Amino acid sequence: MDTKILLEQCQLVNFQKGKKITILGAGIAGLVAAYELERLGHEVEILEGSPRIGGRVWTHRFGNSPDAPYAELGAMRIPSEHEMTLHYVHEMGLSDKLCKFMTVFEESNAMMNINGQVLQMKDAPRVLQQTEGGIFSDTRYSEKTRLFAAWLKTIINTIAPGNLRSEFERDLQSHLMDELERLDLNPYFSEDGETIDLNSFLTQNPSFRAKCSQGLDIFLGDIITETSHDLLQLKGGMDQLIQRLAASITGEIKCNSEVVALRVQFDHVQITYKENGQLHTRRCDYVLCTIPFSVLRKMELSGFDDDKLDSIHNTVYCPGTKVAFHARESFWEKNGIKGGASFSGEGVRQTYYPSVKFNPERGSVMLASYTIGDDAQRMGMMSEQERFDYVQNTVSKIHPELNEPGMILDKASIAWGNYKWSAGGCTIHWDEADGSASYLKAQRPQNTLFFAGEHCSRFPAWLQGSIESAVEAVYDIVKHKPALQSTAIPVAVTVSGKNRQLAAVGSAW
């Protein structure tokens, strides 16, 4: 739904102003919801378990100066069609910061490591044909079909987690080559006939996706977005959106307030949270929970119906791991690389280069490794130092400059699958029987307990999903008619961590 229309509808149903809402989580969903609820005349308070705001928007800055280079350890791009995200970029006065994000396969000089052979990405499919043979040298199919298939495999190998790479291999061998042979592939090759426009191909040929396995079909839908030539970013860091939203909210944002129990009652929600080693329990008229289900399922939950508990415990999360290097200089530019991403091979997967300029006196930053799925899980199991060493060793095979003394000035990483406050990179629908319809179960409220976040949306893994679900939750809250006139949100109980029953709740962490 259009952002303006949805916000206008919130105004129309806002017949009972002055509600008091406790929001759990200070990620972008919680902040957007707080911002809109306050604009509608309601009172909000945000409890955030971690020491920081932003959730899975995390800009890591290598230095304290305003022009310090940075890496996005979380969300790093905005599709141009994600109008809800762009609405808040404009609303927060950040329109002048929007600029192009050069994504994977947009830089023809990017590198690829295939079984130890380092070459430019544009040459990879030809090499794949020569080294693998098999279906790629099967003369039953035209040269165009074989080259196109080799490009598809190159792209899938670069982006997809291991299980989907295997699914694509099976589908290709069994029937996808026949489907490619049937289609007119000429419009999707470049003028020199060596590269393809995957985005246009997938958009204009839904029949191809329909013949893929369900998980692969859903993933290819994600690739349409990820390989778009119209991706955007915020120059200066995505966390600018978080900071502007937080500054626009008058209600208190309390970090280090870890929720450990939610008890749904007929006309209120009782929450228990831990702060400074103390457990506090309070009664709340309305609660908006933006905590990922991967974290929520570890809490004490009562008063939830069975379908909701099933959604909470069975929503699938995909791990994601990122490793960034602060480099003395942007040495990759000497190879003509201005942005985009290389495929460094092994478990490192994608290596992204900045498509914004940093002050050369302060060096530059490469996102040396961005992995999802099984690759991310393996790296997440390493210690941080092991992870740094592994990534440096792997990426230096395509960029030996990394091993020059003093080239790497600093490093940063995050394994979202092991991060206490997310326990996953994002929700996925690739292996769910009912596909994306699961988000409808995730967003369904329990009396006066409402839900928002990317797991409650049609756009998992994107800011758009978190924002849209937040505005929809705002609509549901403001139109809700209380069964009984509730009081304010007083502190009901404050107990020490020695209370046997409540202390047992906290031990789940």
Side-chain angles (χ1 to χ4, degrees):
M1 182 180 292
D2 180 82
T3 309
K4 184 178 180 181
I5 294 174
L6 189 51
L7 293 173
E8 286 174 351
Q9 287 185 345
C10 290
Q11 292 275 4
L12 291 173
V13 301
N14 191 36
F15 60 88
Q16 187 206 13
K17 297 184 180 181
K19 290 178 177 176
K20 295 189 176 182
I21 302 100
T22 300
I23 298 174
L24 308 181
I28 196 163
L31 295 173
V32 165
Y35 173 76
E36 293 299 344
L37 285 165
E38 284 191 342
R39 295 207 321 157
L40 292 167
H42 303 283
E43 184 179 333
V44 302
E45 174 190 40
I46 302 178
L47 300 182
E48 166 59 46
S50 79
R52 53 175 288 276
I53 65 172
R56 281 163 283 179
V57 177
W58 194 335
T59 304
H60 180 89
R61 301 177 192 283
F62 291 97
N64 298 319
S65 62
D67 61 347
Y70 58 87
E72 301 291 3
L73 297 182
M76 63 181 180
R77 48 202 169 187
I78 304 171
S80 58
E81 67 271 19
H82 282 190
E83 53 88 22
M84 276 200 159
T85 306
L86 293 174
H87 167 81
Y88 288 97
V89 169
H90 301 317
E91 185 88 351
M92 294 298 115
L94 292 167
S95 302
D96 62 328
K97 301 289 187 179
L98 283 170
C99 61
K100 178 178 173 57
F101 179 94
M102 187 179 292
T103 192
V104 63
F105 303 112
E106 280 199 276
E107 172 57 78
S108 60
N109 293 316
M111 310 298 289
M112 177 168 262
N113 186 343
I114 299 181
N115 301 321
Q117 184 176 0
V118 177
L119 59 155
Q120 289 185 314
M121 187 85 73
K122 60 187 178 182
D123 299 322
R126 290 289 189 191
V127 173
L128 187 69
Q129 283 183 289
Q130 296 166 8
T131 57
E132 287 207 8
I135 199 79
F136 303 111
S137 60
D138 191 332
T139 55
R140 289 178 302 166
Y141 304 105
S142 69
E143 172 60 22
K144 271 280 191 331
T145 295
R146 284 179 276 148
L147 181 57
F148 199 91
W151 259 111
L152 281 176
K153 181 164 183 179
T154 300
I155 293 169
I156 295 293
N157 282 353
T158 304
I159 299 177
N163 61 317
L164 293 181
R165 297 197 295 272
S166 298
E167 282 188 29
F168 176 73
E169 184 69 30
R170 288 194 299 269
D171 287 357
L172 195 64
Q173 296 286 344
S174 64
H175 59 278
L176 287 185
M177 286 294 286
D178 293 321
E179 179 63 13
L180 289 174
E181 184 76 358
R182 186 185 69 81
L183 296 171
D184 180 11
L185 302 176
N186 287 306
Y188 309 109
F189 277 94
S190 59
E191 287 187 9
D192 61 9
E194 292 300 312
T195 61
I196 67 168
D197 185 346
L198 177 65
N199 189 279
S200 296
F201 171 74
L202 292 175
T203 302
Q204 296 170 18
N205 293 280
S207 65
F208 179 82
R209 284 179 54 191
K211 288 181 171 57
C212 296
S213 61
Q214 184 181 22
L216 185 60
D217 173 31
I218 295 171
F219 183 76
L220 288 175
D222 294 340
I223 285 182
I224 290 177
T225 303
E226 191 167 339
T227 59
S228 169
H229 303 308
D230 299 319
L231 292 174
L232 302 168
Q233 62 183 317
L234 286 178
K235 186 177 182 180
M238 296 290 280
D239 66 345
Q240 294 172 102
L241 182 56
I242 297 297
Q243 300 301 330
R244 295 281 180 97
L245 279 166
S248 302
I249 297 166
T250 58
E252 186 177 10
I253 303 175
K254 297 175 68 174
C255 290
N256 298 304
S257 299
E258 178 185 351
V259 177
V260 296
L262 289 174
R263 305 176 185 91
V264 177
Q265 306 294 328
F266 175 66
D267 63 344
H268 69 278
V269 182
Q270 187 183 75
I271 66 171
T272 299
Y273 64 97
K274 186 162 53 178
E275 187 179 63
N276 297 323
Q278 296 272 309
L279 287 172
H280 306 268
T281 296
R282 64 172 18 166
R283 170 189 170 127
C284 305
D285 291 344
Y286 291 92
V287 172
L288 173 59
C289 179
T290 70
I291 297 171
F293 283 179
S294 50
V295 175
L296 193 65
R297 64 181 61 138
K298 301 173 185 176
M299 300 179 188
E300 178 196 309
L301 305 175
S302 64
F304 291 67
D305 63 46
D306 289 342
D307 284 346
K308 191 67 183 186
L309 288 173
D310 181 71
S311 175
I312 291 169
H313 287 285
N314 293 308
T315 295
V316 180
Y317 281 78
C318 181
T321 301
K322 286 187 172 183
V323 176
F325 290 161
H326 178 198
R328 184 180 64 215
E329 60 188 56
S330 50
F331 54 81
W332 48 87
E333 292 185 358
K334 297 174 184 177
N335 296 323
I337 299 174
K338 305 298 183 183
S342 287
F343 175 64
S344 294
E346 301 179 33
V348 166
R349 316 308 297 171
Q350 301 169 61
T351 296
Y352 277 88
Y353 311 95
S355 42
V356 295
K357 291 289 186 181
F358 298 123
N359 182 340
E361 294 181 2
R362 303 194 183 278
S364 191
V365 173
M366 67 172 357
L367 185 59
S369 175
Y370 175 28
T371 57
I372 59 174
D374 49 355
D375 297 306
Q377 187 171 12
R378 278 192 295 272
M379 275 216 281
M381 300 283 287
M382 301 176 185
S383 70
E384 192 168 55
Q385 188 58 54
E386 288 173 336
R387 196 180 305 150
F388 289 147
D389 292 344
Y390 174 67
V391 171
Q392 180 176 347
N393 179 63
T394 303
V395 179
S396 65
K397 292 174 184 176
I398 67 169
H399 289 304
E401 298 93 336
L402 280 174
N403 290 331
E404 293 178 9
M407 179 58 76
I408 298 179
L409 304 175
D410 201 358
K411 305 169 185 177
S413 75
I414 181 73
W416 289 104
N418 299 338
Y419 183 61
K420 178 177 180 177
W421 309 109
S422 68
C426 62
T427 50
I428 60 171
H429 300 145
W430 308 328
D431 56 359
E432 295 177 6
D434 57 353
S436 59
S438 60
Y439 81 89
L440 297 172
K441 299 176 183 177
Q443 68 179 205
R444 188 170 58 82
Q446 302 287 280
N447 294 349
T448 59
L449 173 60
F450 297 82
F451 299 87
E454 55 92 22
H455 54 292
C456 299
S457 80
R458 301 173 297 150
F459 303 97
W462 294 99
L463 295 178
Q464 174 90 348
S466 294
I467 293 170
E468 181 182 75
S469 68
V471 177
E472 289 175 346
V474 168
Y475 175 87
D476 290 337
I477 291 170
V478 300
K479 78 172 182 180
H480 184 269
K481 296 181 180 180
L484 297 171
Q485 188 65 37
S486 300
T487 58
I489 310 178
V491 174
V493 184
T494 302
V495 296
S496 74
K498 296 179 181 179
N499 179 287
R500 184 176 63 82
Q501 182 179 1
L502 291 179
V505 175
S507 68
W509 289 94

